[in-house]
Amino acid sequence: MTTNARGVLQAARWHRREFLLALGAVGALAGCGGGGGDGVELLPAGTKLLDLKFVDAQTAYGVGKEGLIARTDDGGQTWRRLPSESTTDMISVLPVNRQLVFVCGVDETVLRTLDGGARWQTIRQGDGTVFGTPALVFATDAEHVALRAEGGGGRWVYPDRLKITVDGGREWKVMSRPDSIIPWAPRFTPSGFLFSLYGPGEAQALWVSDDFGGSFRQTPLSGVAVGSFGDHGIWVQIPAGGAADQPGRVAVSQDAFRTWTEAPMQIDGFAVDAQPRIWMTFLDAAGLGWARPAWPDNGLLHTTDGGRRWTAAAVAAAPIDGRTLVMARDGAQWLSTDAGATWRPFDGVSSRFERDAAGALLARSWLLEGAGYSWQRSTDDGRTWRTLL
């Protein structure tokens, strides 16, 4: 948003410190500041963030304790505190682009900025009650936002819930199953489709919504065991029927769940009538993917053809993407970025890894004192790392 005369006059009625912080943030975000000048509060080294998301190679937003919201525009070398009146511990951040960003507090308070962090508006006010761990999971624009609260106090006491607003926070709807009031937490594809497997026993059916949860339709597929979904296509596994002529199948849709192409699925080392269920953990646009069989324990399967054929991986590791794996060995963590062909040690404390929006690797390690995470970033597939704060 541009700053006009009216906006300046309104800001001038604030307390002096608030005015300087907001004015400094606007100047910095526009590229006019950032050197620690008047009104710009740089975060000191060692500040811990509870969540962090990159928008592109240089710009990222982070959140932390006591209402902390911060932004970097130089790849994480320096961070500026953004003005916010909230004192809630912020634990989740979701940038749609450089200007539109949502943050969420531990009590499900949700704030939104439309101008890159210069001003924040509360679109959901938490009541101080904490059930599980809330996290922002999807947003298409300023109006459509989804918040997931993972089960707390035991999954059966507080099951996962998905709360959605389609009017910028004026009303929030708790998702329930199509034929009941039981809380439900379907997932999103990158393009905004909601999907979930639901049904009694082995008769799992695939349900889909293409209007941000307004309505759901059941697809023709049933007996579904697991799925991997994305803009490039949708793959699901249909388990074996128990006869030699009924092997497990992989079903593929590339038109938003409407039509499907099925093909036999082969898992090396298993007869076609004795294939285990697999839990697909990743599948990319090139057809590279990873899955875990229901048995044997700790196994890892790899596919290069979109899930039609699976082979056992040589090591027990955790997938990050189609080619990237992490494993623990000899008291250290090791990374592979070529599907397990070669490995290099991670020189740092035990961490969780992910790819950011720019394709770089992020490593986060939880501090024992509970202040937040320590973050490192690698732009060369794990060869070198830089601490972000």
Side-chain angles (χ1 to χ4, degrees), residues 9-190:
L9 288 174
Q10 289 173 330
R13 290 196 292 268
W14 298 353
H15 294 298
R16 176 176 175 79
R17 181 175 181 274
E18 293 170 336
F19 170 69
L20 290 175
L21 283 172
L23 185 61
V26 172
L29 296 174
C32 300
D38 289 345
V40 177
E41 183 180 351
L42 298 182
L43 297 186
T47 300
K48 304 306 177 187
L49 299 176
L50 292 169
D51 194 21
L52 181 159
K53 293 289 191 308
F54 273 83
V55 183
D56 52 39
Q58 298 299 317
T59 303
Y61 289 86
V63 293
K65 296 276 189 177
E66 299 179 351
L68 172 62
I69 310 174
R71 171 171 169 161
T72 180
D73 289 293
D74 55 15
Q77 297 183 53
T78 58
W79 292 80
R80 292 182 288 276
R81 179 187 289 270
L82 300 177
S84 167
E85 296 181 357
S86 177
T87 58
T88 299
D89 289 350
M90 294 296 169
I91 62 174
S92 177
V93 58
L94 178 64
V96 178
N97 51 50
R98 295 182 67 180
Q99 300 302 308
L100 175 59
V101 185
F102 299 88
V103 300
C104 175
V106 68
D107 63 350
E108 297 187 10
T109 292
V110 179
L111 308 183
R112 177 186 66 191
T113 181
L114 304 174
D115 54 15
R119 303 172 187 85
W120 294 88
Q121 174 191 8
T122 300
I123 65 169
R124 178 180 174 84
Q125 183 62 59
D127 60 4
T129 303
V130 179
F131 290 133
T133 304
L136 294 160
V137 293
F138 197 79
T140 57
D141 51 42
E143 303 295 310
H144 295 73
V145 191
L147 169 70
R148 182 189 299 272
E150 297 180 354
R155 180 174 298 273
W156 302 111
V157 179
Y158 305 120
D160 287 3
R161 296 163 296 151
L162 187 68
K163 299 180 180 181
I164 285 179
T165 180
V166 297
D167 56 12
R170 288 182 290 276
E171 181 180 359
W172 290 81
K173 173 184 177 182
V174 179
M175 289 286 95
S176 60
R177 294 175 180 173
D179 57 353
S180 75
I181 60 172
I182 298 175
W184 201 35
R187 292 178 289 166
F188 282 93
T189 71

Side-chain angles (χ1 to χ4, degrees), residues 153-343:
R155 180 174 298 273
W156 302 111
V157 179
Y158 305 120
D160 287 3
R161 296 163 296 151
L162 187 68
K163 299 180 180 181
I164 285 179
T165 180
V166 297
D167 56 12
R170 288 182 290 276
E171 181 180 359
W172 290 81
K173 173 184 177 182
V174 179
M175 289 286 95
S176 60
R177 294 175 180 173
D179 57 353
S180 75
I181 60 172
I182 298 175
W184 201 35
R187 292 178 289 166
F188 282 93
T189 71
S191 58
F193 287 94
L194 268 171
F195 69 91
S196 184
L197 305 179
Y198 167 56
E202 298 292 322
Q204 295 285 298
L206 181 63
W207 293 80
V208 180
S209 171
D210 52 13
D211 59 1
F212 216 82
S215 61
F216 280 83
R217 56 184 168 85
Q218 184 176 346
T219 71
L221 298 178
S222 63
V224 177
V226 70
S228 181
F229 305 84
D231 289 336
H232 48 272
I234 299 100
W235 285 258
V236 299
Q237 179 199 1
I238 302 173
D245 60 348
Q246 291 291 323
R249 311 187 305 281
V250 58
V252 181
S253 175
Q254 295 187 340
D255 60 0
F257 302 90
R258 288 178 173 81
T259 61
W260 299 84
T261 301
E262 294 187 20
M265 184 181 65
Q266 175 61 46
I267 305 176
D268 287 359
F270 293 91
V272 294
D273 60 344
Q275 295 178 5
R277 281 194 174 195
I278 63 172
W279 308 109
M280 200 178 300
T281 57
F282 188 87
L283 193 65
D284 67 15
L288 301 177
W290 304 94
R292 296 191 182 280
W295 47 271
D297 293 339
N298 300 321
L300 185 65
L301 301 173
H302 185 46
T303 183
T304 59
D305 62 1
R308 291 166 178 81
R309 181 176 180 181
W310 296 87
T311 58
V315 296
I320 299 173
D321 58 33
R323 295 186 177 276
T324 310
L325 298 168
V326 59
M327 71 171 178
R329 187 179 69 186
D330 300 330
Q333 286 183 299
W334 293 71
L335 283 168
S336 172
T337 55
D338 53 13
T342 60
W343 295 83

